[in-house]
């Protein structure tokens, strides 16, 4: 049954159209010349909007999961009649292209999203056969592993599921920069640092694509917020764009050759990204050598003809109006047919690679048991031990645990929106601890379960992208707490946060803990400390929260992120010591929100004066702009340069063991095009563990303003037994030293003294060594592209910076 569409296509193409050129048998040139204008204009426009979020063309509801009905497309998005006529190959996939059977061109299927295959798990109400997928840990957790080999392994398992479920291209990974802690989709993204974001993307793309399926790295580019996401004009300097927001895409394109790139919803410097030839053709294709196809984000951009001209080959999910506009533009001479042919050819090139074209007989039965183990293993590798006073962890002499916090019983595997995976189960922390052989307090469990059931029953049905309001923490009386502290050996509180596409996070009760959460932490800490027992907090969150105001009251903090479907088991692996934590922050935790360099420019300002008479459309948003005044000073680049102390710095994470660092040596004290840095790490503690070594470089910064240091390489050791050592090698080349000089549109490595710093975090540098670059090197000459139309008062690391800092206190944080 699964291969039915393939059979139909094969018959149609081989019997009836024997004399016509056929894709794969004849040259692309022959295929393109045999296509009618209408066929071309249909191929570059997807087949309608049966995305998991949206109802089908006739507005029928397809309610296979809660989220499926919660993302509803706005009426202005008209459906393609083909979408209703032609049965979906993979129900719940996000979109597909038009087939042209007479030329042997099949329809290919694309599906969300970054943390696992997002498809309908139940088809036609028949639950005797299910199509659940593995929810892998969210991208922020994967990045926190600092382990590209591990991330590649996740990609291999993920790609296998994509292949076996009949999908051709997965709509991920997503690698936008964590510009601001409140970014609603930060969980889908890797890091505040482009080297991490690009390296992780390349690793997972290589893993996924090794299965013969494609990826779509997204959202290109500078899609760093959800507020007014379809209308926001991001005003940004060429240098910040290239060094921070494009760099990760460049690394990914060069190191992993993703089949496709997805352009973003936002505008950059006045124009939608999908309509910018400079971004999509000049930079992506000409400068970086990207060979695949570019698709829009769902209903992204505005002008289909401008999108074709920009090199945005495929408009997704596609509407008949777009096809019509393209046909008209060619007929009127507004769109050169040669341009359209090029867009068509790029799509055909990808179709040629697809499993659908190769008639792959997918099983619909990936090995979910095996993949769950990969998910669990990866989850534990990316969790970060933030605090561990007096070796509170791993749990020792602990038999019975008091488990507090709603989320302990209702764990969050991953975020919402298109990034959510329809998984068969999620292991709660309660279950994980039990599986790990721990006893938990039954009375507490009963209280929580009853409370959660009652509160959930009261919640309104979620609409559009909106998350239901969080359930406030159950208040527990002091005498009950005292009783729990008597009965149990240790207390664990889980704090949970969720977010997703369509909205950014809030400060109150989200970035900041709610008063009930703070009270719970304080009361449990008092009760347990009074009996000389400990309290551990587990953070089951997808983005950064405030920790400085409450962390002193607790003994240990484990940042578990959103760890995928094996959540509770993976957290227990760390709590029990079965796995020694080795994750490190790939994004900074500030002391307070107002410390963040982007706080005064997030999420920008709406340009509509009278918002009362201008209701916010469901899709689209109001005209708005955001100015990236912080320039390249995002995350640790800012905190380190301007000496603003964060709560937990970039690169930070504790272990159950200790490591000592040998001398950092360089292949030469003079830079001659390339340098090798070498360092030996020894496990000097008592437990086997892995260490991440982070290599930062500080540049002269005379001609070009430079951050105090920037991450240029990183490596993770293998599991080192106590006393064991490993020597790590890092390569620094000229491009690593270069910055984008806007005046000359070139990448320049300045002459002078550079410092290489090997650290266990960006703050805790263990070894430094210097080298000299005798003469400036221009590593690449580009041209002026995507330039802002207005002056940006950009942050620089000279004294103007401190004025900026003083101005940076406009946010009421309470
Ligand atoms: C999201 C994309 C996603 C697409 C298809 C859009 O709303 O921004 O990330 O791939 O929907 O579901």
């Amino acid at each position: 049954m699964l291969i039915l569409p393939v059979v139909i296509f094969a018959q149609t193409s081989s019997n009836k159209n024997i004399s016509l050129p056929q894709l794969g048998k004849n040259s692309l040139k022959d295929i393109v010349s045999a296509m009618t204008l209408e066929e071309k204009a249909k191929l570059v426009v997807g087949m309608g909007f049966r995305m998991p979020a949206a109802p089908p063309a006739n507005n029928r509801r397809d309610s296979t999961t809660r989220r499926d009905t919660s993302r509803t497309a706005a009426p202005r998005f008209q459906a393609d009649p083909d979408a209703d006529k032609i049965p979906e190959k993979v129900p719940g996939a996000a979109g597909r292209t038009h087939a042209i059977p007479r030329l042997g061109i099949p329809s290919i299927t694309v599906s969300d999203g970054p943390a696992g295959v997002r498809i309908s798990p139940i088809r036609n109400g028949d639950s005797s056969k299910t199509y659940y997928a593995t929810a892998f840990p969210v991208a922020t957790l994967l990045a926190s592993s600092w382990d590209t080999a591990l991330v590649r392994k996740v990609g291999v398992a993920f790609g296998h599921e994509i292949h076996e479920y009949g999908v051709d291209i997965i709509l991920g990974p997503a690698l936008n920069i964590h510009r601001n802690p409140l970014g609603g989709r930060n969980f889908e993204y890797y890091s505040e640092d482009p080297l991490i974001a690009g390296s992780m993307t390349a690793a997972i793309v290589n893993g996924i694509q090794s299965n013969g399926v494609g990826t779509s790295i997204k959202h290109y580019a500078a899609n760093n917020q959800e507020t007014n996401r379809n209308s926001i004009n991001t005003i940004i300097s060429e240098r910040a764009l290239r060094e921070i927001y494009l760099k990760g895409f460049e690394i990914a394109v060069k190191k992993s050759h993703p089949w496709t790139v997805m352009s973003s919803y936002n505008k950059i410097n006045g124009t939608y990204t999908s309509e910018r030839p400079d971004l999509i053709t000049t930079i992506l294709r000409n400068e970086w050598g990207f060979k695949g196809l570019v698709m829009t984000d769902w209903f992204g951009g505005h002008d289909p003809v401008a999108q074709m001209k920009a090199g945005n080959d495929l408009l997704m999910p596609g509407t008949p109006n777009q096809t019509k506009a393209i046909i008209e533009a060619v007929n009127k001479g507004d769109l050169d047919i040669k341009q359209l042919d090029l867009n068509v050819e790029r799509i055909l090139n990808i179709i040629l690679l697809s499993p659908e074209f190769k008639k792959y007989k997918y099983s619909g039965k990936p090995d979910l048991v095996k993949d769950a183990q990969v998910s669990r293993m990866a989850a534990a590798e990316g969790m970060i031990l933030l605090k561990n006073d007096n070796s509170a962890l791993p749990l020792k002499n602990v038999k019975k645990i008091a488990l507090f916090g709603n989320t302990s019983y209702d764990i969050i595997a991953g975020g919402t929106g298109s990034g959510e995976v329809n998984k068969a189960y999620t292991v709660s922390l309660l279950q994980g601890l039990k599986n790990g052989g721990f006893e938990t307090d039954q009375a507490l469990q009963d209280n929580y379960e009853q409370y959660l059931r009652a509160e959930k029953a009261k919640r309104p049905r979620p609409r559009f992208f909106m998350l239901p309001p969080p359930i406030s923490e159950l208040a527990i009386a002091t005498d009950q707490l005292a009783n729990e502290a008597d009965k149990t050996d240790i207390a664990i509180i889980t704090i949970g946060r969720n977010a997703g596409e369509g909205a950014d996070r809030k400060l109150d009760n989200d970035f900041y803990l709610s008063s009930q959460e703070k009270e719970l932490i304080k009361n449990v800490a008092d009760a347990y400390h009074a009996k000389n027992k400990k309290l551990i907090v587990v953070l089951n969150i997808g983005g950064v929260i405030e920790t400085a105001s409450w962390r002193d009251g607790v003994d240990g903090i484990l940042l578990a992120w959103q760890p995928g479907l094996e959540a509770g088991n993976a957290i227990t692996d760390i709590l029990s010591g079965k796995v020694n934590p080795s994750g490190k922050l790939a994004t900074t935790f500030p002391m307070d929100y107002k410390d963040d360099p982007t706080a005064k420019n997030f999420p920008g300002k709406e340009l509509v004066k009278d918002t009362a008479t201008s209701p916010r459309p469901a899709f689209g948003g109001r005209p708005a702009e955001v100015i990236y005044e912080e320039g390249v000073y995002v995350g640790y680049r800012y905190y380190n340069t301007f000496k603003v102390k964060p709560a937990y710095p970039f690169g930070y994470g504790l272990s159950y063991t200790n490591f000592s660092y040998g001398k950092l040596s360089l292949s030469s004290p003079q830079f001659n095009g390339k340098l090798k840095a070498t360092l030996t790490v020894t496990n000097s503690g008592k437990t086997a563990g892995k260490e991440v070594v982070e290599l930062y470089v500080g540049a002269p910064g005379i001609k070009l303003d430079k951050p105090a240091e920037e991450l240029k390489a990183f490596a993770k050791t293998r599991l080192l037994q106590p006393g064991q050592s490993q020597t790590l090698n890092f390569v620094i080349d000229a491009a690593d030293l270069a910055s984008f000089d806007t005046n000359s549109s070139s990448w320049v490595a300045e002459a002078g003294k550079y410092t290489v710093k090997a650290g266990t975090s960006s703050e805790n540098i263990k070894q430094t060594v210097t080298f000299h670059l005798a003469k400036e090197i221009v590593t690449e000459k580009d041209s002026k592209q995507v330039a802002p139309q207005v002056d940006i008062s950009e942050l620089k690391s000279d004294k103007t910076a401190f004025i900026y800092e003083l101005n940076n206190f406009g946010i009421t944080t309470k």
Side-chain angles (χ1 to χ4, degrees):
M1 185 184 167
L2 283 171
I3 55 166
L4 193 59
V6 174
V7 173
I8 290 168
F9 151 68
Q11 283 173 348
T12 320
S13 59
S14 57
N15 298 345
K16 279 205 211 140
N17 306 305
I18 213 84
S19 57
L20 286 168
Q22 297 293 299
L23 185 66
K25 297 206 176 80
N26 299 82
S27 71
L28 279 193
K29 206 169 149 277
D30 288 347
I31 303 288
V32 176
S33 18
M35 287 172 83
T36 63
L37 173 57
E38 202 200 1
E39 283 172 336
K40 290 176 187 173
K42 270 184 130 178
L43 189 70
V44 296
V45 174
M47 204 209 286
F49 66 157
R50 286 291 303 271
M51 60 177 172
N58 61 7
N59 235 1
R60 231 178 12 235
R61 286 207 145 186
D62 178 8
S63 55
T64 42
T65 68
R66 181 177 61 78
R67 287 296 312 174
D68 287 352
T69 51
S70 63
R71 286 176 72 203
T72 308
R76 82 174 164 93
F77 302 119
Q78 135 225 44
D80 188 320
D82 283 358
D84 253 8
K85 273 194 290 200
I86 304 170
E88 273 182 307
K89 177 184 166 197
V90 183
R96 51 196 167 141
T97 59
H98 284 280
I100 307 172
R102 68 180 194 101
L103 300 173
I105 303 171
S107 159
I108 58 168
T109 299
V110 303
S111 164
D112 281 305
V117 188
R118 179 179 164 78
I119 54 175
S120 299
I122 293 173
R123 298 178 183 171
N124 305 319
D126 173 10
S127 50
S128 64
K129 165 126 182 62
T130 57
Y131 302 83
Y132 288 107
T134 302
F136 294 100
V138 298
T140 309
L141 181 148
L142 292 179
S144 307
S145 73
W146 295 62
D147 185 344
T148 50
L150 171 97
V151 174
R152 189 183 191 285
K153 260 186 220 155
V154 171
V156 171
F158 187 177
H160 171 71
E161 292 192 20
I162 299 166
H163 206 203
E164 292 310 319
Y165 275 141
V167 172
D168 297 290
I169 296 171
I170 198 80
L171 302 174
L175 67 146
N176 296 105
I177 291 292
H178 293 166
R179 172 175 177 258
N180 178 281
L182 304 184
R185 296 184 81 172
N186 279 0
F187 72 96
E188 291 186 67
Y189 307 148
Y190 293 102
S191 173
E192 68 189 23
D193 179 81
L195 176 66
I196 297 277
S199 310
M200 296 298 155
T201 301
I204 202 159
V205 167
N206 280 324
I208 293 173
Q209 293 193 168
S210 70
N211 290 276
V213 293
T215 55
S216 193
I217 63 170
K218 67 188 188 185
H219 309 89
Y220 184 69
N223 188 166
N224 308 107
Q225 65 181 64
E226 290 301 289
T227 310
N228 291 314
R229 68 173 179 166
N230 293 72
S231 56
I232 190 79
N233 178 22
T234 301
I235 299 174
I236 179 170
S237 72
E238 286 169 78
R239 178 175 173 194
L241 181 66
R242 284 186 178 262
E243 286 189 21
I244 306 292
Y245 299 97
L246 296 187
K247 197 60 174 180
F249 285 94
E250 179 182 356
I251 294 170
V253 164
K254 291 181 174 167
K255 285 196 167 172
S256 63
H257 310 291
W259 290 12
T260 83
V261 168
M262 186 191 292
S263 53
S264 56
Y265 282 133
N266 53 292
K267 297 173 182 172
I268 300 183
N269 295 330
T271 305
Y272 284 111
T273 56
S274 56
E275 298 174 14
R276 291 208 75 117
D278 44 9
L279 193 66
I280 293 180
T281 297
T282 314
I283 296 181
L284 177 67
R285 292 202 160 96
N286 301 349
E287 286 184 17
W288 304 345
F290 176 67
K291 296 275 187 288
L293 77 81
V294 177
M295 70 175 83
T296 58
D297 197 348
W298 268 227
F299 304 108
H302 173 70
D303 177 352
V305 177
Q307 289 171 317
M308 289 298 116
K309 288 181 182 168
N312 194 120
D313 313 299
L314 179 60
L315 310 184
M316 289 304 282
T319 70
N321 272 350
Q322 290 171 319
T323 305
K324 206 165 138 236
I326 290 169
I327 294 173
E328 275 170 18
V330 173
N331 287 337
K332 280 203 282 185
D334 291 344
L335 177 63
D336 189 340
I337 190 72
K338 287 202 194 98
Q339 172 63 59
L340 186 60
D341 287 351
L342 193 59
N343 302 119
V344 165
E345 258 180 53
R346 292 196 193 113
I347 296 173
L348 292 177
N349 265 322
I350 295 301
I351 292 177
L352 278 167
L353 301 175
S354 68
E356 176 62 36
F357 179 77
K358 294 178 180 162
K359 301 189 171 60
Y360 179 66
K361 290 190 173 47
Y362 54 98
S363 64
K365 280 193 231 140
D367 190 343
L368 297 178
V369 174
K370 192 165 125 216
D371 293 348
Q373 289 318 306
V374 175
S375 182
R376 173 176 179 170
M377 182 265 301
E381 292 290 314
M383 289 183 189
I384 302 166
L385 186 61
L386 292 179
K387 175 170 181 169
N388 198 19
D389 281 3
N390 302 315
S391 302
L393 289 173
L395 300 172
K396 276 182 298 274
N397 307 320
V398 168
K399 278 208 193 80
K400 192 164 180 185
I401 299 172
L403 201 49
F404 296 93
N406 299 339
T407 320
S408 292
Y409 300 88
D410 197 9
I411 206 105
I412 301 161
T416 63
S418 59
E420 185 173 9
V421 181
N422 297 321
K423 60 235 165 256
Y425 65 88
T426 304
V427 179
S428 69
L429 181 53
L430 174 79
Q431 193 56 48
L433 288 169
K434 286 184 173 170
N435 295 346
F438 294 98
E439 199 189 324
T440 53
D441 186 61
Q442 187 64 43
L444 212 46
Q445 177 184 340
D446 294 343
N447 279 358
Y448 272 103
E449 286 180 346
Q450 204 182 7
Y451 172 72
L452 288 173
R453 252 194 317 274
E455 289 301 303
K456 278 185 182 171
K458 286 189 223 154
R459 286 210 290 206
R461 204 186 155 82
R463 285 187 54 78
F464 297 111
F465 297 102
M466 295 307 141
L467 273 167
I471 298 174
S472 70
E473 279 302 336
L474 176 65
I476 301 179
T478 322
D479 54 345
Q480 192 189 342
L481 283 179
N483 185 24
E484 290 294 339
D486 275 336
K487 285 196 288 180
T488 58
D489 304 309
I490 196 164
I492 297 178
I493 300 177
T494 307
I495 298 291
R497 289 290 181 272
N498 212 348
E501 158 166 32
D504 288 311
R505 293 171 54 215
K506 305 270 177 299
L507 284 176
D508 288 339
N509 302 336
D510 193 346
F511 179 79
Y512 296 109
L513 296 199
S514 68
S515 51
Q516 291 90 339
E517 286 169 330
K518 285 197 173 181
E519 218 166 279
L520 178 70
I521 292 176
K522 184 173 180 311
N523 294 346
V524 174
D526 287 350
Y528 277 75
H529 291 163
K531 308 232 155 81
N532 226 358
K533 293 179 180 176
K534 289 176 177 164
L535 164 61
I536 307 294
V537 171
V538 172
L539 299 177
N540 178 204
I541 59 183
V544 169
I545 63 167
E546 186 270 339
T547 54
S549 68
W550 55 268
R551 62 180 172 181
D552 290 348
V554 310
D555 303 281
I557 306 175
L558 175 65
L559 173 53
W561 294 121
Q562 293 171 338
L565 84 180
E566 286 284 321
N569 285 335
I571 296 171
T572 304
D573 288 341
I574 299 282
L575 296 177
S576 66
K578 185 173 163 201
V579 177
N580 188 348
S582 60
K584 306 261 191 161
L585 288 176
T587 203
T588 306
F589 272 52
M591 292 292 270
D592 200 355
Y593 181 72
K594 67 177 168 15
D595 296 342
D596 190 89
T598 66
K600 74 165 189 161
N601 285 304
F602 184 91
K605 63 169 193 274
E606 292 191 348
L607 304 171
V608 177
K609 289 213 179 64
D610 186 0
T611 50
T613 58
S614 162
R616 186 186 299 281
F619 269 76
R622 296 197 191 98
E625 66 179 32
V626 58
I627 310 179
Y628 285 14
E629 286 187 304
E630 71 285 352
V632 297
Y633 291 101
V634 176
Y636 72 90
R637 286 173 167 77
Y638 170 77
Y639 293 100
N640 291 8
T641 309
F642 294 91
K643 308 212 176 330
V644 177
K645 186 139 183 68
Y648 296 109
F650 178 82
Y652 171 88
L654 302 173
S655 164
Y656 297 151
T657 188
N658 298 309
F659 297 95
S660 65
Y661 282 56
K663 194 168 161 280
L664 175 64
S665 58
L666 291 180
S667 49
S668 158
Q670 295 295 331
F671 189 83
N672 292 314
K674 210 173 225 145
L675 272 184
K676 199 169 106 184
T678 308
L679 173 108
T680 299
V681 178
T682 306
N683 182 346
S684 51
K686 296 196 176 71
T687 313
K690 298 176 184 172
E691 170 71 327
V692 173
V693 176
E694 306 159 26
L695 207 74
Y696 298 88
V697 175
I702 297 158
K703 182 174 154 194
L704 285 173
D705 190 52
K706 285 277 225 179
E709 59 256 321
E710 293 180 283
L711 184 75
K712 292 300 171 191
F714 57 91
K716 194 166 186 172
T717 65
R718 60 174 188 273
L719 186 72
L720 297 176
Q721 298 300 325
Q724 261 188 350
S725 301
Q726 185 176 349
T727 300
L728 301 170
N729 294 309
F730 307 86
V731 174
I732 302 168
D733 61 25
D736 293 328
L737 308 179
S739 268
F740 188 76
D741 176 20
T742 314
N743 292 332
S744 62
S745 297
S746 52
W747 292 84
V748 178
E750 253 183 82
K753 182 173 139 191
Y754 288 78
T755 309
V756 184
K757 312 172 189 189
T760 185
S761 83
S762 61
E763 217 173 53
N764 191 353
I765 301 298
K766 301 282 194 183
Q767 294 285 330
T768 60
V769 60
T770 60
F771 67 87
H772 278 87
L773 172 60
K775 198 166 163 277
E776 177 181 293
I777 309 177
V778 175
T779 60
E780 191 179 314
K781 181 91 186 96
D782 295 326
S783 52
K784 200 167 191 62
Q785 306 294 340
V786 204
Q789 315 290 302
V790 291
D791 284 341
I792 304 173
S793 132
E794 224 182 20
L795 177 60
K796 299 272 182 303
S797 69
D798 58 21
K799 54 186 180 310
T800 52
F802 296 105
I803 297 167
Y804 172 95
E805 263 193 275
L806 290 177
N807 288 336
N808 195 16
F809 286 89
I811 312 258
T812 322
T813 54
K814 277 191 207 140

